[in-house]
Amino acid sequence: MLSQLENETLIVKMQDKGAELVSIVSKENGKEYLWQADKAFWGRHAPVLFPIVGRVNKDTYYVNGKDFHLSQHGFARDLEFEEGESHASKHAYTLSSTKSTLEIYPFPFHLEISYELAGNSVLVRYQVNNPGKEAMYFSIGGHPAFRCPVFEDEQFEDYYLDFGEKEKMGVFELEGGTRLPEKRQIAPASQTLELNNNLFEKDALIFENLKQSKIALRSKKHSSFVEVEFAGLPYAGIWKPHNEAPFVCIEPWQGIADASGEPGELKDKKGIVSLDPGKKYSCSYKITIGS
C-alpha cells in the first residue's frame, strides 16, 4: 500500500513493502526526482539496508562461533512493515523480529523508519531498539536512487557531485560485492566529481568520513539539484549499474561491506553498531530538492 505526504513544495510517496520511499515530486517544476524502479536497469527506488550494509563474505557470518547466512544488504527491504505514527507531515513504519528473521539473524529487534516533510526536504529517520537480553550487532543505511538526468535536454554526463568542500577523492571499491582493502584515488583532490559511466566499472564508490557529510547532485545546465545530508553517518556509497541506466544512488550508511576474505564474527565487522539490551539507536539523513 502507498502512503503520501504533501506540503507546499513536495509530494512524497512511500510503500509498506520495505518501508521504501518511492516518489519525490517537486511542485515547482512537476518533476519526479526519485528513480522509478525500471526493472530493465534496477527494480528498486530507495531500499532500506538492515541488518547489514553491503555483503558479508560468502554470504556468511558468525555469532559466537555459529554460522548464519544473509544476502547483500539484509532482509528489511523485502519485508512488509506495519503502519506507524502518521500525521500531515510525517509517516512512520515499524518492523519487529520474527521466528523467520531469528533463523538468519539471531537478534530480537524493533525497527522504526519515518519520513517527515519540512519545506523542500524529506527527513528520513531510523530507530533500532534492542528488546533482547544480549548486545545486538547491526548496520543500517539508505539506498536512494535519483533520476539523472531529470530534464529532457540533458545527458548523464552533464551532472556532477558537489561535496561542499575539497575532498581527497580516495574511495573504497568493491569486487564481487565485498570491499577491496585499500582505498583508490579516483580523481585529483576537488570539491566536485564529474559523473560518467566508467566511474562505476568496478561497482560502487564508497567515501568515508566526508568533511561536510553531504553530497549534492548538480547539473551543468541548470540550478536545480538534489542534496543528501547525513551528519553522523560515516560512509556514503555512490552507485549505478555499469550501463546506460539514467540514475545515480547517493547512499548514506552506518556500515560497510566486508573486506574480501573469509567470513568472520559479526561483532568484528567494520562499521558495525553494538547496541546493549533495552537501548535505542537512531540516525537520520535528509534529502533536499533545490532550485
Side-chain angles (χ1 to χ4, degrees), residues 232-245:
L233 295 173
Y235 305 104
I238 308 297
W239 176 78
K240 70 178 293 290
H242 185 226
N243 55 34
E244 299 307 309

Side-chain angles (χ1 to χ4, degrees), residues 41-42 197 200-201 239-249:
F41 296 107
W42 188 59
N197 193 44
F200 306 97
E201 183 176 5
W239 176 78
K240 70 178 293 290
H242 185 226
N243 55 34
E244 299 307 309
F247 71 87
V248 65
C249 297

Side-chain angles (χ1 to χ4, degrees), residues 1-5 10-26 31-39 42-48 76-81 83 91 93 113-117 122-124 126 142-147 247 285 287 289:
M1 186 178 78
L2 286 178
S3 298
Q4 179 172 304
L5 295 173
L10 297 176
I11 302 173
V12 172
K13 296 179 182 179
M14 306 77 60
Q15 65 181 12
D16 292 357
K17 183 179 178 181
E20 186 175 2
L21 188 64
V22 299
S23 176
I24 305 175
V25 172
S26 167
K31 292 296 183 180
E32 172 68 68
Y33 281 81
L34 206 64
W35 170 244
Q36 289 303 287
D38 182 348
K39 292 182 179 179
W42 188 59
R44 299 182 189 267
H45 305 266
V48 175
R77 60 185 180 170
D78 295 318
L79 298 182
E80 291 288 330
F81 280 63
E83 298 279 334
H91 195 82
Y93 297 91
I113 298 170
S114 65
Y115 299 95
E116 186 170 0
L117 287 187
V122 185
L123 178 64
V124 184
Y126 303 142
H143 200 311
F146 301 102
R147 291 179 58 213
F247 71 87
Y285 70 93
I287 300 170
I289 307 300

